[in-house]
Amino acid sequence: MGSTRQLQTAKYGYLLLSVLFCVLGIVLLARPIFSVLFLCRTAGILLLLFGIVKIIAYLSQDLYRLAFQFDLALGLLLMALGVILLFRTEVVAHRICIVAGICVLADALLKIQTAIDAKIFGIRLWWLILGGAIVAGITGFLMVFRPYESTRAVMMLAGFSLLAEGVLNLITICTALYIPRPSSTEH
């Protein structure tokens, strides 16, 4: 697969899965009384797919080396968590908020560094990545420490967290990824 084609595959995979995270977040905000087992399985599939996309993205030839700089380790982590959520659903179901919170928090912290690197690199919209990372990081932190005990409040927080993570990834891919136009000599 050519480097431009691999970058485009990674970009569109990121965009699609980020939109799916946003949709799942909106669904949880709108209908917070949702089946936890269904949520775990859905999240497991999304995490597994997103882990694969992150690894493909990391292996691509991103010119700026910003958008995907941490995606190998995070992709492997997401794939592992996805498999755990799919095959150990009942065991993990009552800890889904902590697992999701740690993933969102880890990604947000790494995106803060991406924002700083983007600023140094001269990307003028670096602050969008930083703002999105801060919001996602706060929701991830709250997911881990669950200040609310009611199922409804926790599921709404999970929905907001998924929405924030999806938006953060959309911002990052739209601001920190540069795909060069193929030259007339490439096929």
PDB file of all heavy atoms in Angstrom, residues 143-155:
ATOM      1  N   MET A 143     -14.494  10.082  34.968  1.00  0.00           N
ATOM      2  CA  MET A 143     -14.939   8.693  34.758  1.00  0.00           C
ATOM      3  C   MET A 143     -14.227   7.744  35.726  1.00  0.00           C
ATOM      4  O   MET A 143     -14.828   6.807  36.241  1.00  0.00           O
ATOM      5  CB  MET A 143     -14.665   8.249  33.325  1.00  0.00           C
ATOM      6  CG  MET A 143     -15.514   8.910  32.285  1.00  0.00           C
ATOM      7  SD  MET A 143     -17.166   8.255  32.226  1.00  0.00           S
ATOM      8  CE  MET A 143     -16.842   6.623  31.612  1.00  0.00           C
ATOM      9  N   VAL A 144     -12.947   7.973  35.949  1.00  0.00           N
ATOM     10  CA  VAL A 144     -12.182   7.096  36.841  1.00  0.00           C
ATOM     11  C   VAL A 144     -12.659   7.256  38.285  1.00  0.00           C
ATOM     12  O   VAL A 144     -12.831   6.276  39.003  1.00  0.00           O
ATOM     13  CB  VAL A 144     -10.665   7.385  36.735  1.00  0.00           C
ATOM     14  CG1 VAL A 144      -9.888   6.624  37.795  1.00  0.00           C
ATOM     15  CG2 VAL A 144     -10.161   7.027  35.343  1.00  0.00           C
ATOM     16  N   PHE A 145     -12.909   8.496  38.707  1.00  0.00           N
ATOM     17  CA  PHE A 145     -13.261   8.743  40.101  1.00  0.00           C
ATOM     18  C   PHE A 145     -14.755   8.829  40.353  1.00  0.00           C
ATOM     19  O   PHE A 145     -15.171   8.990  41.497  1.00  0.00           O
ATOM     20  CB  PHE A 145     -12.550  10.004  40.604  1.00  0.00           C
ATOM     21  CG  PHE A 145     -11.085   9.775  40.761  1.00  0.00           C
ATOM     22  CD1 PHE A 145     -10.198  10.260  39.823  1.00  0.00           C
ATOM     23  CD2 PHE A 145     -10.594   9.027  41.819  1.00  0.00           C
ATOM     24  CE1 PHE A 145      -8.843  10.033  39.945  1.00  0.00           C
ATOM     25  CE2 PHE A 145      -9.251   8.789  41.946  1.00  0.00           C
ATOM     26  CZ  PHE A 145      -8.359   9.294  41.009  1.00  0.00           C
ATOM     27  N   ARG A 146     -15.550   8.717  39.320  1.00  0.00           N
ATOM     28  CA  ARG A 146     -17.015   8.702  39.395  1.00  0.00           C
ATOM     29  C   ARG A 146     -17.576   9.447  40.605  1.00  0.00           C
ATOM     30  O   ARG A 146     -17.943   8.833  41.612  1.00  0.00           O
ATOM     31  CB  ARG A 146     -17.513   7.276  39.424  1.00  0.00           C
ATOM     32  CG  ARG A 146     -17.347   6.587  38.144  1.00  0.00           C
ATOM     33  CD  ARG A 146     -18.055   5.297  38.045  1.00  0.00           C
ATOM     34  NE  ARG A 146     -18.431   4.650  39.277  1.00  0.00           N
ATOM     35  CZ  ARG A 146     -18.569   3.360  39.413  1.00  0.00           C
ATOM     36  NH1 ARG A 146     -18.368   2.572  38.395  1.00  0.00           N
ATOM     37  NH2 ARG A 146     -18.939   2.831  40.544  1.00  0.00           N
ATOM     38  N   PRO A 147     -17.702  10.756  40.479  1.00  0.00           N
ATOM     39  CA  PRO A 147     -18.235  11.503  41.616  1.00  0.00           C
ATOM     40  C   PRO A 147     -19.722  11.234  41.844  1.00  0.00           C
ATOM     41  O   PRO A 147     -20.260  11.588  42.880  1.00  0.00           O
ATOM     42  CB  PRO A 147     -18.007  12.963  41.215  1.00  0.00           C
ATOM     43  CG  PRO A 147     -17.967  12.942  39.728  1.00  0.00           C
ATOM     44  CD  PRO A 147     -17.391  11.608  39.347  1.00  0.00           C
ATOM     45  N   TYR A 148     -20.357  10.595  40.880  1.00  0.00           N
ATOM     46  CA  TYR A 148     -21.783  10.279  40.992  1.00  0.00           C
ATOM     47  C   TYR A 148     -21.942   8.773  41.115  1.00  0.00           C
ATOM     48  O   TYR A 148     -21.233   8.018  40.493  1.00  0.00           O
ATOM     49  CB  TYR A 148     -22.553  10.752  39.749  1.00  0.00           C
ATOM     50  CG  TYR A 148     -22.219  12.155  39.353  1.00  0.00           C
ATOM     51  CD1 TYR A 148     -21.415  12.416  38.249  1.00  0.00           C
ATOM     52  CD2 TYR A 148     -22.689  13.222  40.091  1.00  0.00           C
ATOM     53  CE1 TYR A 148     -21.106  13.714  37.885  1.00  0.00           C
ATOM     54  CE2 TYR A 148     -22.381  14.526  39.737  1.00  0.00           C
ATOM     55  CZ  TYR A 148     -21.592  14.763  38.637  1.00  0.00           C
ATOM     56  OH  TYR A 148     -21.279  16.036  38.281  1.00  0.00           O
ATOM     57  N   GLU A 149     -22.879   8.359  41.902  1.00  0.00           N
ATOM     58  CA  GLU A 149     -23.104   6.929  42.066  1.00  0.00           C
ATOM     59  C   GLU A 149     -24.341   6.440  41.324  1.00  0.00           C
ATOM     60  O   GLU A 149     -24.500   5.257  41.120  1.00  0.00           O
ATOM     61  CB  GLU A 149     -23.200   6.559  43.549  1.00  0.00           C
ATOM     62  CG  GLU A 149     -21.858   6.636  44.266  1.00  0.00           C
ATOM     63  CD  GLU A 149     -20.785   5.747  43.628  1.00  0.00           C
ATOM     64  OE1 GLU A 149     -21.058   4.597  43.243  1.00  0.00           O
ATOM     65  OE2 GLU A 149     -19.643   6.226  43.524  1.00  0.00           O
ATOM     66  N   SER A 150     -25.207   7.357  40.915  1.00  0.00           N
ATOM     67  CA  SER A 150     -26.403   6.896  40.216  1.00  0.00           C
ATOM     68  C   SER A 150     -26.009   6.421  38.813  1.00  0.00           C
ATOM     69  O   SER A 150     -25.152   6.998  38.159  1.00  0.00           O
ATOM     70  CB  SER A 150     -27.449   8.011  40.122  1.00  0.00           C
ATOM     71  OG  SER A 150     -27.180   8.878  39.048  1.00  0.00           O
ATOM     72  N   THR A 151     -26.629   5.340  38.384  1.00  0.00           N
ATOM     73  CA  THR A 151     -26.339   4.769  37.073  1.00  0.00           C
ATOM     74  C   THR A 151     -26.606   5.779  35.969  1.00  0.00           C
ATOM     75  O   THR A 151     -25.823   5.902  35.026  1.00  0.00           O
ATOM     76  CB  THR A 151     -27.198   3.504  36.856  1.00  0.00           C
ATOM     77  OG1 THR A 151     -26.936   2.594  37.915  1.00  0.00           O
ATOM     78  CG2 THR A 151     -26.879   2.850  35.533  1.00  0.00           C
ATOM     79  N   ARG A 152     -27.674   6.517  36.100  1.00  0.00           N
ATOM     80  CA  ARG A 152     -28.025   7.504  35.089  1.00  0.00           C
ATOM     81  C   ARG A 152     -26.922   8.555  34.944  1.00  0.00           C
ATOM     82  O   ARG A 152     -26.510   8.886  33.837  1.00  0.00           O
ATOM     83  CB  ARG A 152     -29.350   8.155  35.462  1.00  0.00           C
ATOM     84  CG  ARG A 152     -29.832   9.174  34.470  1.00  0.00           C
ATOM     85  CD  ARG A 152     -31.181   9.768  34.952  1.00  0.00           C
ATOM     86  NE  ARG A 152     -31.685  10.732  34.018  1.00  0.00           N
ATOM     87  CZ  ARG A 152     -32.427  10.456  32.974  1.00  0.00           C
ATOM     88  NH1 ARG A 152     -32.774   9.212  32.730  1.00  0.00           N
ATOM     89  NH2 ARG A 152     -32.838  11.408  32.176  1.00  0.00           N
ATOM     90  N   ALA A 153     -26.440   9.088  36.047  1.00  0.00           N
ATOM     91  CA  ALA A 153     -25.396  10.123  36.007  1.00  0.00           C
ATOM     92  C   ALA A 153     -24.094   9.559  35.450  1.00  0.00           C
ATOM     93  O   ALA A 153     -23.411  10.225  34.658  1.00  0.00           O
ATOM     94  CB  ALA A 153     -25.179  10.698  37.406  1.00  0.00           C
ATOM     95  N   VAL A 154     -23.749   8.357  35.830  1.00  0.00           N
ATOM     96  CA  VAL A 154     -22.519   7.740  35.347  1.00  0.00           C
ATOM     97  C   VAL A 154     -22.595   7.494  33.837  1.00  0.00           C
ATOM     98  O   VAL A 154     -21.642   7.754  33.101  1.00  0.00           O
ATOM     99  CB  VAL A 154     -22.221   6.421  36.111  1.00  0.00           C
ATOM    100  CG1 VAL A 154     -21.097   5.640  35.455  1.00  0.00           C
ATOM    101  CG2 VAL A 154     -21.872   6.725  37.560  1.00  0.00           C
ATOM    102  N   MET A 155     -23.745   7.017  33.364  1.00  0.00           N
ATOM    103  CA  MET A 155     -23.901   6.772  31.928  1.00  0.00           C
ATOM    104  C   MET A 155     -23.892   8.085  31.145  1.00  0.00           C
ATOM    105  O   MET A 155     -23.357   8.145  30.043  1.00  0.00           O
ATOM    106  CB  MET A 155     -25.174   5.981  31.646  1.00  0.00           C
ATOM    107  CG  MET A 155     -25.106   4.558  32.194  1.00  0.00           C
ATOM    108  SD  MET A 155     -23.692   3.648  31.587  1.00  0.00           S
ATOM    109  CE  MET A 155     -24.470   2.688  30.332  1.00  0.00           C
TER     110      MET A 155
END
